[in-house]
Every structure is written in C-alpha cells, then in structure tokens.
Amino acid sequence: MLLNTDLHGHNIGKKMSCQQFISNLDGLNNGKDFPKDLLKVLYNSIKNEKLEWAVEEEELRKSLSELVEEQCEGGSKRVARVTDSSNPFIAIPILLNAVTYKHGVLTRKSHAEMDGKRTPRGRRGWKKFYAVLKGMILYLQKDEYKPDADLSEVDLKNAVRIHHALATRATDYSKRANVLKLKTSDWRVFLLQAPSEEEMMSWIFRINLVAALFSAPAFPAAIGSMKKFCRPILPSSSTRHSQEEQLVSHERQLKQMGVELEEHRKNQPAVDPKSREWEEYRLKEHYLTYEKTRYETYISLLQAKIRAETDDLEKIETSMMGSLFMDGRECLLRKTQSSPSISQAHAGLNGRMAGCSAPGQRTEEGR
C-alpha cells in the first residue's frame, strides 16, 4: 500500500526505486529477508498497475447504521465526506441524519495541527461557530443550526472528527474563561470556549461519551526497518462491540499502556535534547501517558453508564455531573436543548451504551 501511494500518488519528488523498496523490508520476515525475486515481482506489478481502493457500499452503510436516528429510518440517507486528501483512510463518510447529541455556540481556536505541531500564528485566532455534535462529528457552522438544512462546503471543511478524541478542561489556558481542550485522534488540538461553565462541562461530557461509545479498537502501528516510534492507526468507523465487549477492549488497552509505560521508563536514555534517541523516548512516553489517561476516561464512562441503568442521555448527564466537584465547587448542569435518548443511536442493538468520567481524570490530558 505504501509503495502504491509512493509510485502513483501526487507526492513531489523522486519515486521509490526497486532497490529502495527491497532495502526498506530488510529483516522484516521474522528477522530474515524476503526473497528478492518475490519483492521484484511485487514492485513491478504495482508499478505497472496501481492498486484501486475497494469500497463496499453495503458494508459502509452497515457500519454507520448505529448512528442513524430511529425516527429517520424511513428517510433518505444523504452521505457527504469531510476530506483532507484523496486517501480513503482519511476521508470519512458522514450520515447527515445521524443522532444530534448536542448543539450550541462555541468559539474555536486552533492550537496544534496534525501530530501536535503548533498552529502557525496567523491561523490561531478565535472564531465563533454554532457547534453541532452529530454522530462522531463535531460540525462548526457559521449559521445557526437547522436540522433539515444542508451543510455548506465551508461547514464540512471546519468539521472535526471526535473518534478516539479526548476533551478536558483547559487548565493551562487562563486568558479566557470556560475553555475546554479537544485533542483528536491525529493529535490536532482545539481550544473551545463555551458561554458558561455548565455548558463547557456538558460539552466535555458529551464529546467524551460519544468517543467512548463508538470508537473502534485501534489497528497495530506501522512497522519499518527504521527504529522509529509510530502511533497505532485509529479507525474512524464505528465499533461493532457490545457494551461489555467495548468495556473489556478499553480495559485491555489500559492494561497494555500501563505495562508499556513501565517498560519504557526502565530504558530511559541519557538526557540530551539534541539526541534523536532522547526525542523518540520523550515522544513515546508522552503518547503512552496520554493514552493511559484517555482509556481511563473511557472506562469510567462505560462503568458509569452501567451504574446509571438508563439510556437517556439527559438523565445520565444530570446524575453524573450533579454529583461531581470541579475545583472545589459543585458542578450542576442545566438542561440542554438537545437531549436524545442514547438508545436512538443504537436502535435495535441493546446494551451498547456508556456513561461519563470524572472531570478530574480528564484534566491530565494537557500535561
């Protein structure tokens, strides 16, 4: 797949040679090399005829069916794509009649680009939007939300995917009040200001709730001959797991992250900011610490839902947030305009829902 992209993509520069392709795979056949004749045949085959991405429309519809509202069953399913490039692993199909979990005014600031790189100064300004959390997409619209209105190209461009995301109170940002930090699966970071503390906490709760409910298990990280740390691939499709399976999956991931972090810290290299080895060590430690916090949050959400014994989103939010304390003050959430039953999101699929996590756990994300 990588060779196909290199040979037939729109990247600028010299294409990968057959010898480079063979060298990149050195030692990856259980510690041995693949037969060179086989790799040459593969190289020439892909070079002469590029691989086409296969998309099964039936599977596409099936995988997203959990996000469709029950009352829209007889309605038309309009599909659009938020696209960063032509890569189908980045382009996400969106059902525009998916469940709306929350909507309201948010002011956004882009803090970091993909992979955590700081957003250029000219693009960091605050912009006010009408935000709509619909399915696993946070739409940021210029105009007020209208359920039956089509989204403009600008609205689609501003949309943010929240699968495997984590929302926390922006404790390290003091210039504005009621600001939450949203870190996405590709490590982009957005600061979002809500009109009040109650609304901020409600957005944190619902974004993390949806992410915990629907985020599918991660794929293994990419491998190569170079010893470079790579994060696992986080699929954008909705999970097929039941509630119990989702909880077990999150718990398994949390345990794995804890073991990996412990092993990682046993092999700390000499501190040298200019050393590539130290930079790789630092990046991996940051990743493992963040993932540990994210899975702790997801587990708390699922466990809290089981304790709540209800599928009503509004009741779960009220019962959970009403008993929590933030910075020593009781955090009581008022009623929001959009309060669908969680059961609508998984019509016909019993017991696939979850609850919320303590804000105190989530505030560690930015550290």
Side-chain angles (χ1 to χ4, degrees):
M1 290 164 59
L2 293 173
L3 175 65
N4 184 70
T5 301
D6 185 86
L7 294 178
H8 302 288
H10 300 291
N11 53 307
I12 299 173
K14 192 175 181 180
K15 304 292 184 182
M16 188 188 304
S17 67
C18 184
Q19 185 56 48
Q20 288 173 326
F21 175 62
I22 293 173
S23 297
N24 287 340
L25 297 173
D26 284 349
L28 295 183
N29 185 16
N30 292 325
K32 300 179 181 179
D33 294 342
F34 289 99
K36 289 188 177 181
D37 291 340
L38 172 63
L39 296 181
K40 287 178 181 178
V41 170
L42 271 173
Y43 179 88
N44 290 321
S45 176
I46 294 174
K47 181 179 179 181
N48 295 332
E49 185 176 352
K50 82 171 186 174
L51 301 175
E52 298 292 340
W53 300 112
V55 179
E56 289 286 346
E57 293 298 330
E58 183 62 29
E59 283 298 310
L60 188 63
R61 288 193 293 271
K62 193 185 298 182
S63 67
L64 292 165
S65 61
E66 305 93 67
L67 302 181
V68 182
E69 287 186 276
E70 192 172 24
Q71 62 267 31
C72 296
E73 186 175 351
S76 61
K77 293 182 176 65
R78 296 170 291 172
V79 178
R81 290 177 183 271
V82 176
T83 308
D84 289 337
S85 72
S86 60
N87 191 327
F89 291 99
I90 297 178
I92 298 180
I94 303 159
L95 289 169
L96 298 183
N97 57 351
V99 174
T100 299
Y101 292 102
K102 184 173 178 62
H103 55 87
V105 176
L106 285 177
T107 306
R108 183 206 69 186
K109 177 180 181 178
S110 295
H111 183 72
E113 304 288 298
M114 193 179 296
D115 293 328
K117 296 179 181 178
R118 189 70 185 271
T119 301
R121 187 174 297 274
R123 300 210 308 268
R124 294 184 206 165
W126 289 92
K127 293 182 181 179
K128 183 174 287 188
F129 294 96
Y130 200 90
V132 182
L133 179 56
K134 205 169 189 180
M136 285 200 291
I137 305 292
L138 178 64
Y139 295 100
L140 298 173
Q141 305 173 197
K142 288 190 174 181
D143 300 320
E144 188 171 345
Y145 171 64
K146 296 178 182 178
D148 299 325
D150 290 331
L151 295 169
S152 68
E153 291 185 11
V154 175
D155 293 335
L156 291 174
K157 185 178 180 182
N158 288 327
V160 179
R161 307 167 184 82
I162 65 162
H163 65 90
H164 302 92
L166 184 64
T168 65
R169 178 192 285 265
T171 55
D172 53 353
Y173 188 86
S174 58
K175 294 181 180 179
R176 294 192 178 202
N178 310 319
V179 175
L180 65 97
K181 180 185 291 185
L182 175 62
K183 190 168 186 175
T184 63
S185 62
D186 57 4
W187 282 35
R188 288 187 296 165
V189 177
F190 299 96
L191 298 180
L192 302 169
Q193 183 184 28
S196 65
E197 183 177 11
E198 291 120 334
E199 277 296 290
M200 177 195 70
M201 294 303 301
S202 181
W203 278 108
I204 291 174
F205 167 79
R206 298 200 182 200
I207 288 172
N208 287 335
L209 173 67
V210 173
L213 293 177
F214 298 113
S215 295
F219 295 130
I223 60 172
S225 57
M226 296 180 65
K227 293 182 179 180
K228 184 178 181 180
F229 169 66
C230 292
R231 300 196 308 272
I233 300 169
L234 302 176
S236 59
S237 57
S238 179
T239 184
R240 301 292 187 88
H241 283 171
S242 66
Q243 176 178 287
E244 292 74 18
E245 291 169 338
Q246 187 79 335
L247 178 57
V248 170
S249 176
H250 290 331
E251 289 175 337
R252 188 188 305 117
Q253 288 295 325
L254 176 60
K255 183 177 180 181
Q256 180 182 337
M257 293 300 159
V259 171
E260 288 187 22
L261 183 59
E262 184 177 351
E263 288 297 318
H264 180 69
R265 286 173 173 167
K266 289 180 181 178
N267 301 299
Q268 179 176 335
V271 179
D272 181 3
K274 296 181 180 180
S275 166
R276 176 175 293 183
E277 185 182 9
W278 171 255
E279 180 64 15
E280 289 290 317
Y281 175 87
R282 189 189 64 81
L283 286 173
K284 187 172 182 179
E285 181 176 43
H286 176 70
Y287 160 76
L288 291 172
T289 303
Y290 168 73
E291 286 294 277
K292 194 168 177 285
T293 300
R294 183 169 72 88
Y295 282 113
E296 285 172 347
T297 300
Y298 287 3
I299 289 169
S300 295
L301 288 165
L302 288 164
Q303 291 175 337
K305 165 60 180 66
I306 294 172
R307 291 196 300 269
E309 297 183 343
T310 179
D311 286 334
D312 188 282
L313 180 59
E314 188 68 39
K315 289 181 179 179
I316 296 171
E317 180 175 328
T318 302
S319 64
M320 293 305 302
M321 305 306 288
S323 61
L324 297 177
F325 289 81
M326 177 60 69
D327 297 332
R329 292 170 297 167
E330 190 172 4
C331 180
L332 298 173
L333 296 181
R334 62 176 176 80
K335 295 282 184 179
T336 54
Q337 292 179 331
S338 55
S339 55
S341 168
I342 294 180
S343 60
Q344 292 175 355
H346 272 202
L349 300 176
N350 294 328
R352 285 200 177 188
M353 299 299 105
C356 88
S357 106
Q361 291 175 319
R362 295 194 294 268
T363 55
E364 297 175 6
E365 181 271 337
R367 294 171 190 169

